[in-house]
Amino acid sequence: MSKPVIGFIGLGLMGGNMAENLQNKGYELIVMDLSKDAVAACVARGAKTASTAKELAEGSDIVMFCLTTSAVVEKIVYAEDGILAGIKEGAVLVDFGTSIPSSTKKIGADLAAKGAGMIDAPLGRTPAHAKDGLLNIMAAGDIDTFNKVKPVLEDQGENVFHLGELGAGHTTKLINNFMGMTTVCAMSQAFAVADRAGVDRQQLFDIMSTGPSNSPFMQFCKNYAVDDVSDLGFSIANANKDLGYFLQMVEDLGTESKIAEGSSANLQAAFDAGMGQGNVPEIFDYFKQLNK
């Protein structure tokens, strides 16, 4: 049985490695990206290109996004020459990015009206895992649609989860990132407060790491605050975006999160201070210089 043709939009560090993995496994790709070099790398391995998202969708059985924001996703879907204008009946759109669930559900409904399906499938792990097809994939959507694309997802992920109805993947990813990024903010400020109070940061870590607060996130924060090693590959800008999406989600659900509001305010302040490209534990520097 022949493999489906895949249209892939978004060839950044993660998406580019995902595309390479798919090509290495024999998939025919049609690609688009603002980076000419990223497109050229895929073309050198045999990919085709499209001049518009509509053209890409017309030639694809599965369209995959690895994009930065819900706004970018909606622009590419709803443009006059966008995905919705060209997607084939029976085709599936898979969104690997981190998006607002309400936006995902709206897009899914509009695709369904054209006879196409959608899966939201945000990712865990790193670009290195993407290149080797070892990602964690949090997929959601209609079970028949999921089963249609499952073999391709299994070529991209070591662990592929089906989480329920469309939007559950993005919901789960936002909850996961809320928990993780709030933890990093709290631990980074703990080290900064210790420093201001004259408590040795290494000793603080030695004490805290022997108790239930110990976690990989604590280790990442210690690596930066104590050892000046920044090795959690997730930026303050991305964390700021995801916390903002989490707050939008809880508002859509008719509730609120004061914890998320506090972490989001700190991330936004660090971003405004020019620290957006630093890894999240580097918010320690913002907390260290923070004055009332």
Side-chain angles (χ1 to χ4, degrees):
M1 192 172 178
S2 62
K3 293 179 182 289
V5 176
I6 296 174
F8 206 107
I9 303 179
L11 301 172
L13 192 56
M14 183 69 85
N17 282 352
M18 293 175 75
E20 182 176 350
N21 169 64
L22 288 169
Q23 289 183 280
N24 289 340
K25 291 178 176 171
Y27 289 91
E28 178 184 344
L29 262 62
I30 307 170
V31 298
M32 282 184 65
D33 193 83
L34 294 175
S35 168
K36 293 181 180 179
D37 289 342
V39 171
C42 291
V43 170
R45 294 189 296 265
K48 298 177 182 177
T49 63
S51 58
T52 66
K54 178 185 177 188
E55 180 187 334
L56 179 141
E58 288 171 341
S60 303
D61 301 307
I62 301 172
V63 176
M64 293 182 170
F65 286 171
C66 196
L67 298 167
T68 53
T69 68
S70 282
V72 171
V73 168
E74 290 199 9
K75 181 178 180 181
I76 292 173
V77 169
Y78 290 112
E80 186 176 344
D81 56 357
I83 294 297
L84 196 61
I87 199 160
K88 301 185 295 187
E89 184 175 353
V92 179
L93 170 62
V94 181
D95 181 7
F96 289 118
T98 302
S99 297
I100 301 170
S102 58
S103 172
T104 300
K105 293 175 184 178
K106 179 180 71 172
I107 293 169
D110 291 337
L111 288 168
K114 294 202 67 173
M118 183 175 182
I119 296 293
D120 56 312
L123 306 169
R125 296 187 169 172
T126 69
H129 292 101
K131 193 169 186 177
D132 294 332
L134 297 174
L135 291 165
N136 289 334
I137 300 178
M138 295 165 262
D142 174 81
I143 189 62
D144 291 335
T145 303
F146 171 75
N147 286 333
K148 184 184 292 187
V149 301
K150 185 180 179 183
V152 185
L153 297 180
E154 289 178 335
D155 277 339
Q156 296 170 289
E158 181 179 22
N159 301 299
V160 179
F161 305 93
H162 182 252
L163 302 176
E165 295 182 358
L166 187 68
H170 284 146
T171 298
T172 302
K173 179 66 181 291
L174 290 175
I175 293 170
N176 178 77
N177 285 16
F178 154 69
M179 182 66 186
M181 297 307 101
T182 298
T183 300
V184 172
C185 286
M187 290 183 173
S188 296
Q189 187 160 37
F191 283 118
V193 170
D195 192 74
R196 181 166 294 201
V199 172
D200 182 80
R201 284 175 255 158
Q202 178 67 58
Q203 287 184 330
L204 177 67
F205 174 77
D206 292 342
I207 296 298
M208 293 180 67
S209 63
T210 62
S213 294
N214 192 28
S215 71
F217 279 127
M218 177 181 282
Q219 185 67 54
F220 283 123
C221 293
K222 178 262 185 184
N223 289 349
Y224 186 73
V226 177
D227 302 324
D228 200 27
V229 174
S230 186
D231 56 351
L232 174 57
F234 196 71
S235 72
I236 288 171
N238 280 335
N240 186 43
K241 182 205 77 170
D242 287 359
L243 262 290
Y245 281 2
F246 178 83
L247 287 168
Q248 178 64 60
M249 182 179 75
V250 296
E251 182 179 334
D252 291 341
L253 292 169
T255 185
E256 63 180 2
S257 172
K258 294 297 184 184
I259 295 172
E261 288 174 13
S263 296
S264 180
N266 286 318
L267 288 163
Q268 183 65 52
F271 180 87
D272 292 342
M275 300 173 62
Q277 296 311 304
N279 289 327
V280 187
E282 294 177 38
I283 199 170
F284 166 77
D285 293 331
Y286 166 76
F287 288 131
K288 191 176 178 183
Q289 56 82 40
L290 185 62
N291 293 306
K292 186 176 179 180

